[in-house]
Amino acid sequence: MARNLSMKDAINEALDQEMTRDPTVIVMGEDIVGGSGSPGEDDAWGGVLGVTKGLHAKHGDRLMDTPLSESAYIGAAIGAATCGLRPVAELMFLDFMGVCFDQIFNQAAKFRYMFGGKAETPVTIRAMVGAGFRAAAQHSQMLTPIFTHVPGLKVVCASNAYDAKGLLIQSIRDNDPVIFCEHKNLYGHESDVPEESYTVPFGEANIVREGSDATIVGYGLMVHRASEAAETLAGEGIQCEIVDLRTLSPIDTDTVVESVENTGRLVCVDEANPRCSIASDIAATVSQEAFGSLKAAPQLVTAPHTPVPFSPALEDLYIPSAESIADAVRKTMAP
Amino acid sequence: MSEVNITPVLMPKWGLSMSEGVLVDWLVDEGAEIAVGDEIMEVETDKIASAVEAADAGILRRRVGAAGETYPVRALLGVLAPPEVSDDDIDAYIAAYEVPADEGDEEAAAAAYEFADTAAGRLRYAHRGDGGPALVLIHGFGGDLDNWLFNIDALAERARVFAFDLPGHGQSTKQLADPSLAGLADALQAFMDAADIDSAHLVGHSMGAAVAAQLACDAPERIQSLTLISAAGLGPEINSDYIDGFVGAASRRELKPVLLNLFADSELVTRSMVDDLLKYKRIDGVQEALSSLAESLFPGGEQSAQLAGQIDASELNTLVIWGSDDAVIPAAHAQALNGATREIIDGAGHMVQMEKASAVNALILAHIG
């Protein structure tokens, strides 16, 4: 039956159910059990924000704490994936991925292609993304565009608990490397989640709100900001349609284009920095495929082209707000 | 005060999660004479859109709710009263009306769906009504107990109503021990055992009607009467595009056109309905359950079970209800039963119990006596 579950608990449940279903699923990462020497009891740490809490007690040594060397254990996870396991590697903050780019970009992403389809790499790399956690410039980035850029990787970023569970199960069952981005400020966000295992397919955007005047496209936390903006705008008589991309690679441009064909206006929201972002990618695609439908120039609402500031006041300004999204929509409505 | 002669028209409550609805439009003008079952307004929730049928007769003296506005459940939307009631009394009634506090808090809502561990596995069910005979509602292929959203409360006024999810469906176990009609009838019997129901009036829709009929053949002593709605099992034809499309659809784009087959009024297929069915189809085990059922019950695009002769032979008191515009199973199949009362409802499709709920409820209540 469905019950209200936080995104954090939904991710935990997805890992638990897939480990139960498939003995080849293993989980590895820094402090995911509870730190060096932990007895692995229920009170162990379970990851930096406790997402894997309780799993070690159930699944024992199929969860392992790794040394503080991302390059080593991400490489090990990718190698294990090519040899028949389905590892889920947790990398705490996506920002740290920089030290293992070769393993991810040149190895995992290329195996299927370079071995003529004979090699599969069913690895899932989970990592926290996003600002607003007062965690400064090296723990707050939204680096989704970097991974989306690389062919051979799949990139996921859920906005709610239901999608997070279904997308993570899909990621684990998928035979390609998946970068699974978890917005740290959505871990507490609750929605209806079925107890049973289920999947949400890749490349299928979700229309979370229907409207006829403007299309707002986003993912992750930005879906919630867009919803707030849409609520405000509805009071002004402007009906927004909100498209939650859910997966960035593959990306469901069909749904976006169809929506813009109805509304004629497009606002792309991205917590990432503006250059070569998901927002600019969507704007380019729509401009090419639905130019005739556009009644106004597409608007982009993104973080500025700066690192994430540590000052709380500046950090709050850095993240696209509901008000800035509403302003962008109003701009598209101007005669 | 003539308040006693004033009957309110309220925002309905469809299902446990509904707290408010949009009054999309009025379908009748002020001053219109309204009969029970007339469609008086269109209401839409985040789950479903439907015409609201009048539960009471009278003259619509006042439209209180405005089209396009959102109102809480049980908000006053209109006033029925005979001509002798003065406008002042109606104004006073409207001014004094307060939306009753929602007695269904979250705990009550959670308890309203229950689970029974049965010989057929864990089955979800809903139970309404305290008195009268037992009545069991059995949904169709790919459906669940919410297919009876517009029926369960009305029927509960005269019966102890149970609606459950068949194995492979809704929130019941997705394990199907036996994907045949006999297997599903066993599950129905297992549910009745677990719910302590010795015998009941059975009301089945589509495949659920065939399940009810199968149990009537297997264990007639447990059945007081049969109501077969848009029934499977009464003829060979079935819309195989619907069955194959429902089983095969993997996306909203694929599923929506398939669901249009279910209703005479295509407006009733909301985005939320499509999304909820997709969520169901994406649960582990559902695809296998639906495929094995389709293969067993509708092989090669035809219905494998033909039960009309057995139902007639059982001499059970049987009512057959069909929508005239059923695009899944032809309404002509109603003719297969000689001993049954047959009711064809104009302008309704396969989901006639949703599209013409008041009429269907009235027929069932009259049938069970």
Side-chain angles (χ1 to χ4, degrees):
Chain A
M1 66 180 283
R3 65 261 114 96
N4 234 13
L5 219 59
S6 68
M7 189 189 279
K8 184 160 112 177
D9 290 342
I11 290 168
N12 183 290
E13 189 168 273
L15 291 169
D16 185 17
Q17 290 180 350
E18 284 304 282
M19 292 189 87
T20 303
R21 186 188 67 88
D22 181 350
T24 69
V25 176
I26 61 164
V27 176
M28 53 204 289
E30 293 166 6
D31 292 344
I32 58 148
V33 174
S36 165
S38 157
E41 299 300 327
D42 273 343
D43 61 352
W45 210 4
V48 62
L49 291 183
V51 175
T52 47
K53 200 172 179 65
L55 294 181
H56 185 264
K58 268 184 158 165
H59 302 286
D61 290 346
R62 285 165 62 201
L63 284 91
M64 63 199 93
D65 278 338
T66 62
L68 301 187
S69 172
E70 289 83 7
S71 48
Y73 78 80
I74 293 296
I78 291 166
T82 61
C83 296
L85 293 181
R86 287 188 182 270
V88 180
E90 177 180 316
L91 199 137
M92 281 199 187
F93 298 95
L94 194 73
D95 315 64
F96 302 167
M97 208 83 92
V99 294
C100 26
F101 272 8
D102 187 65
Q103 290 85 328
I104 296 169
F105 292 169
N106 282 327
Q107 311 304 328
K110 303 291 190 284
F111 286 154
R112 179 189 285 282
Y113 179 75
M114 293 184 74
F115 290 111
K118 289 180 187 158
E120 290 179 331
T121 314
V123 66
T124 302
I125 302 175
R126 296 178 40 238
M128 281 186 274
V129 295
F133 208 64
R134 312 298 186 229
Q138 298 160 322
H139 303 76
S140 304
Q141 297 171 84
M142 181 58 79
L143 295 172
T144 40
I146 291 183
F147 299 92
T148 304
H149 185 75
V150 178
L153 297 180
K154 291 174 177 171
V155 183
V156 175
C157 189
S159 71
N160 61 75
Y162 173 86
D163 286 346
K165 178 175 170 182
L167 288 166
L168 182 52
I169 290 175
Q170 178 65 37
S171 301
I172 294 170
R173 295 180 188 178
D174 198 278
N175 286 335
D176 288 312
V178 178
I179 310 297
F180 191 88
C181 304
E182 301 169 11
H183 202 296
K184 46 180 100 66
N185 283 326
L186 288 176
Y187 274 147
H189 186 268
E190 293 186 347
S191 61
D192 263 4
V193 179
E195 274 175 20
E196 295 154 296
S197 300
Y198 60 89
T199 56
V200 171
F202 290 166
E204 186 189 279
N206 185 29
I207 296 183
V208 296
R209 181 185 178 111
E210 292 182 285
S212 51
D213 296 327
T215 301
I216 309 177
V217 182
Y219 60 93
L221 179 69
M222 292 301 103
V223 174
H224 301 275
R225 298 274 161 99
S227 295
E228 278 176 56
E231 207 50 50
T232 307
L233 291 165
E236 301 168 18
I238 301 170
Q239 303 304 332
C240 296
E241 184 144 295
I242 299 176
V243 180
D244 178 356
L245 292 169
R246 299 201 284 205
T247 67
L248 308 175
S249 188
I251 194 160
D252 180 5
T253 46
D254 287 353
T255 294
V256 176
V257 167
E258 264 172 38
S259 175
V260 174
E261 281 169 351
N262 283 328
T263 62
R265 299 177 183 90
L266 174 67
V267 173
C268 308
V269 191
D270 199 345
E271 199 184 321
N273 303 111
R275 310 263 170 80
C276 309
S277 62
I278 306 301
S280 60
D281 185 60
I282 290 286
T285 304
V286 169
S287 299
Q288 194 169 357
E289 293 185 17
F291 186 72
S293 303
L294 285 168
K295 297 171 184 161
Q299 295 295 313
L300 273 56
V301 184
T302 68
H305 190 66
T306 73
V308 180
F310 188 41
S311 149
L314 291 177
E315 186 180 19
D316 290 344
L317 278 176
Y318 175 94
I319 309 167
S321 65
E323 200 38 55
S324 59
I325 297 167
D327 279 344
V329 173
R330 289 186 194 106
K331 212 166 168 184
T332 66
M333 302 294 296
Chain B
M1 290 285 286
S2 337
E3 202 174 293
V4 68
N5 288 327
I6 296 179
T7 309
V9 176
L10 304 179
M11 174 61 74
K13 183 168 175 69
W14 293 329
L16 298 159
S17 61
M18 178 172 171
S19 61
E20 59 179 29
V22 179
L23 171 58
V24 178
D25 211 351
W26 281 99
L27 301 176
V28 285
D29 292 322
E30 281 184 2
E33 180 92 40
I34 293 178
V36 173
D38 283 358
E39 294 185 348
I40 52 174
M41 54 195 182
E42 280 174 33
V43 165
E44 191 178 306
T45 73
D46 54 355
K47 292 279 177 214
I48 198 157
S50 180
V52 175
E53 300 171 353
D56 303 284
I59 296 169
L60 182 66
R61 292 288 298 276
R62 202 68 62 80
R63 303 200 305 200
V64 181
E69 293 296 312
T70 302
Y71 296 95
V73 164
R74 288 188 288 273
L76 184 68
L77 301 180
V79 173
L80 301 179
E84 60 269 21
V85 177
S86 73
D87 281 343
D88 287 348
D89 283 348
I90 288 175
D91 287 339
Y93 181 88
I94 293 169
Y97 185 86
E98 282 178 28
V99 179
D102 195 351
E103 71 271 17
D105 56 12
E106 265 191 48
E107 276 172 50
Y113 288 135
E114 297 171 64
F115 286 84
D117 288 309
T118 76
R122 192 164 181 252
L123 302 180
R124 180 181 70 149
Y125 69 101
H127 172 213
R128 301 275 197 292
D130 307 320
L135 187 154
V136 180
L137 300 165
I138 308 133
H139 65 76
F141 179 76
D144 67 20
L145 57 82
D146 281 333
N147 292 166
W148 306 104
L149 199 61
F150 305 132
N151 316 101
I152 186 165
D153 290 313
L155 299 175
E157 287 177 17
R158 298 251 298 278
R160 290 181 295 127
V161 183
F162 297 84
F164 76 112
D165 292 337
L166 287 164
H169 291 79
Q171 294 181 19
S172 287
T173 175
K174 301 304 180 291
Q175 304 290 327
L176 274 177
D178 171 4
S180 71
L181 217 45
L184 294 176
D186 285 347
L188 168 58
Q189 193 155 203
F191 171 72
M192 290 172 68
D193 291 342
D196 272 334
I197 304 167
D198 291 334
S199 79
H201 297 280
L202 297 186
V203 177
H205 173 249
S206 194
M207 178 188 81
V211 173
Q214 180 69 44
L215 188 65
C217 305
D218 296 348
E221 72 282 0
R222 303 201 65 170
I223 295 164
Q224 296 176 31
S225 79
L226 273 180
T227 300
L228 309 177
I229 303 172
S230 320
L234 301 182
E237 294 88 6
I238 187 158
N239 182 343
S240 57
D241 287 347
Y242 172 76
I243 300 294
D244 296 345
F246 188 85
V247 173
S251 68
R252 193 189 300 124
R253 236 175 242 107
E254 291 168 9
L255 187 57
K256 182 161 183 185
V258 175
L259 298 182
L260 293 175
N261 285 302
L262 290 173
F263 296 90
D265 177 2
S266 59
E267 295 290 308
L268 298 180
V269 180
T270 60
R271 173 176 294 281
S272 173
M273 178 184 293
V274 181
D275 284 350
D276 284 351
L277 276 166
L278 268 185
K279 285 181 174 178
Y280 155 69
K281 277 172 60 73
R282 286 170 176 171
I283 290 174
D284 278 8
V286 168
Q287 213 48 45
E288 293 78 2
L290 290 176
S291 298
S292 61
L293 279 173
E295 219 167 279
S296 155
L297 302 179
F298 317 118
E302 289 205 347
Q303 301 190 45
S304 56
Q306 298 305 328
L307 302 167
Q310 285 169 276
I311 297 167
D312 275 337
S314 76
E315 296 191 342
L316 275 163
N317 191 7
T318 302
L319 166 67
V320 182
I321 301 173
W322 232 292
S324 61
D325 301 345
D326 194 324
V328 178
I329 302 177
H333 286 193
Q335 305 307 324
L337 289 176
N338 297 318
T341 310
R342 296 183 284 245
E343 300 282 353
I344 309 292
I345 297 179
D346 277 342
H350 192 61
M351 304 301 285
V352 57
Q353 82 277 27
M354 299 183 88
E355 283 192 278
K356 300 287 178 189
S358 294
V360 169
N361 294 340
L363 288 170
I364 296 171
L365 287 171
H367 178 64
I368 66 172

